[in-house]
Amino acid sequence: MFDHIADAIKAPDFVRLGPNLYVARFETMKVYSTLVAVERLLAAGVIRRGDTLLDSSSGIYAYALALACHKFDMQCHIIASKTVDKTLMVQLQLLGANVEQVPPSATLKMDQSLRVARIQDIRAAHPHVHWMQQYHDDIHYAGYEPIASEIERLLGTDKLTIVGGVGSGCSTGGLARALRCSDDAVELVGVQPFGSVTFGCAHIEDPGIIIAGIGTGIPFRNVQHALYDQIHWIGFDYGLAGAVALLRRHAIFAGLSSGCCYLAAAREAQLRPERTVLFIAPDTGHRYVDAVFAQHANALELHALAPVHVDSHEQLVLPWSVMDWNRRTATETFN
């Protein structure tokens, strides 16, 4: 029995999809890490019940923060991307969150820059408001330690590969960091959209759509580049194919970034049958019904899709590129 719905939905369901392929499927992935972050901030006296917590979000973090604020009797203020749809917006409002959406932008960088600028305006006018900084404060790493413990219990760490969207860096980075306390050989494969600056792909825009949840147009301090062994860049059409196939083959209704991760993980599992491959599906597919699942008749067949293996950023090419990252730091790569 749970005292709050956030505790009931925070943990993922683990499902075996193949001989060496598994998924950790969340209803809303960031609930666990957000609850832990707020608990620790309360315990440290940084915030108090009744305070206002502020942050920017393109979707699932907004819901996670609203749930955490609801549980701990906090006020919630979200600066939202236009990707926050009506269904989520209504839930946020009924949970008591104050939600502002920035105007539509042509690029992910512009959208995120507008949201950050609005946050700075609010902080200047209301200095007592606490900015959660999901992109920059590494307190968000801590919430993935219990999930890593569950992964280790279920699958072990020997010859384990984790595949997931990079995004803010906390989910995949947090899992890898915790799992490597037991076995430093655990591999981490990050998934990015084209157009994201995090791993040096700002020069290629996806003509389909920017997959905001796993990429960024501005630098995130929480991304620790040296945690990643390999990076995949996947375009919208291939992500759509992955999401549709995940539902058709395994009855798992998950979002667009989950489709990208499934595509990368299925390839990894096929090429390296000696390894155990677990990918992260961070949310359900409900907000992608029109943009993704309604287009299922046009979805490409997964068996026909393969990445281009590149050795430099100049070689990156749509719709799917992969690079061995080899745990390099950002300084080693971009300077």
Side-chain angles (χ1 to χ4, degrees):
M1 183 67 67
F2 298 100
D3 293 325
H4 194 276
I5 189 63
D7 296 307
I9 66 172
K10 66 183 181 182
D13 297 309
F14 292 91
V15 183
R16 184 173 189 165
L17 306 184
N20 65 325
L21 179 62
Y22 301 80
V23 60
R25 190 267 198 184
F26 292 82
E27 182 171 333
T28 304
M29 181 184 66
K30 295 185 178 181
V31 171
Y32 217 138
S33 65
T34 308
L35 289 176
V36 171
V38 173
E39 285 173 346
R40 292 194 177 191
L41 290 169
L42 283 167
V46 176
I47 59 175
R48 295 178 296 177
R49 291 180 184 269
D51 284 355
T52 297
L53 305 185
L54 168 71
D55 217 339
S56 162
S57 176
S58 61
I60 62 175
Y61 183 78
Y63 184 53
L65 186 59
L67 284 175
C69 288
H70 189 275
K71 176 181 177 178
F72 293 113
D73 299 320
M74 316 289 289
Q75 303 301 310
C76 181
H77 194 153
I78 298 291
I79 309 304
S81 166
K82 293 302 289 186
T83 58
V84 173
D85 62 7
K86 182 179 180 181
T87 301
L88 178 55
M89 179 65 75
V90 170
Q91 291 181 78
L92 294 174
Q93 291 169 343
L94 288 174
L95 285 168
N98 178 14
V99 187
E100 299 181 40
Q101 279 187 296
V102 297
S105 302
T107 66
L108 180 59
K109 180 177 182 179
M110 188 180 299
D111 174 79
Q112 290 172 322
S113 296
L114 286 172
R115 284 188 271 147
V116 170
R118 179 58 186 143
I119 282 176
Q120 298 304 337
D121 289 344
I122 293 169
R123 294 180 68 216
H126 306 282
H128 61 284
V129 169
H130 182 80
W131 180 22
M132 288 295 293
Q133 299 191 77
Q134 64 151 324
Y135 304 133
H136 307 304
D137 189 340
D138 65 2
I139 196 172
H140 293 89
Y141 269 72
Y144 294 99
E145 293 169 4
I147 302 169
S149 296
E150 185 67 2
I151 292 171
E152 186 169 0
R153 184 184 71 83
L154 292 171
L155 300 175
T157 57
D158 184 47
K159 297 180 180 178
L160 176 64
T161 298
I162 303 295
V163 179
V166 176
S168 68
C170 295
S171 57
T172 47
L175 290 176
R177 197 165 68 176
L179 289 165
R180 286 175 184 165
C181 291
S182 298
D183 187 348
D184 191 58
V186 170
E187 293 186 1
L188 179 59
V189 176
V191 179
Q192 284 268 273
F194 288 90
S196 176
V197 305
T198 305
F199 282 87
C201 192
H203 61 292
I204 301 178
E205 290 289 343
D206 189 339
I209 188 173
I210 290 294
I211 308 169
I214 58 173
T216 172
I218 58 177
F220 291 165
R221 291 197 302 273
N222 269 340
V223 177
Q224 297 183 22
H225 294 76
L227 291 172
Y228 295 85
D229 295 284
Q230 191 180 73
I231 299 295
H232 288 250
W233 291 267
I234 298 176
F236 171 77
D237 290 340
Y238 278 30
L240 183 152
V244 169
L246 186 57
L247 182 54
R248 278 179 171 155
R249 294 180 181 181
H250 305 290
I252 293 177
F253 186 46
L256 185 59
S257 63
S258 301
C260 294
C261 294
Y262 174 52
L263 187 63
R267 172 187 178 273
E268 189 72 11
Q270 183 178 24
L271 290 178
R272 305 175 73 188
E274 76 282 2
R275 296 194 67 83
T276 298
V277 180
L278 171 71
F279 74 94
I280 309 302
D283 62 353
T284 66
H286 293 88
R287 64 176 176 149
Y288 303 96
V289 169
D290 291 331
V292 174
F293 295 99
Q295 316 303 320
H296 63 86
N298 301 319
L300 301 168
E301 293 292 336
L302 253 61
H303 65 78
L305 310 184
V308 174
H309 201 289
V310 301
D311 297 313
S312 69
H313 293 89
E314 291 74 24
Q315 296 173 337
L316 287 171
V317 60
L318 283 159
W320 183 7
S321 293
V322 58
M323 181 188 296
D324 292 329
W325 195 259
N326 299 321
R327 304 192 188 185
R328 287 175 285 161
T329 67
T331 302
E332 290 173 315
T333 304
F334 302 125
N335 289 347

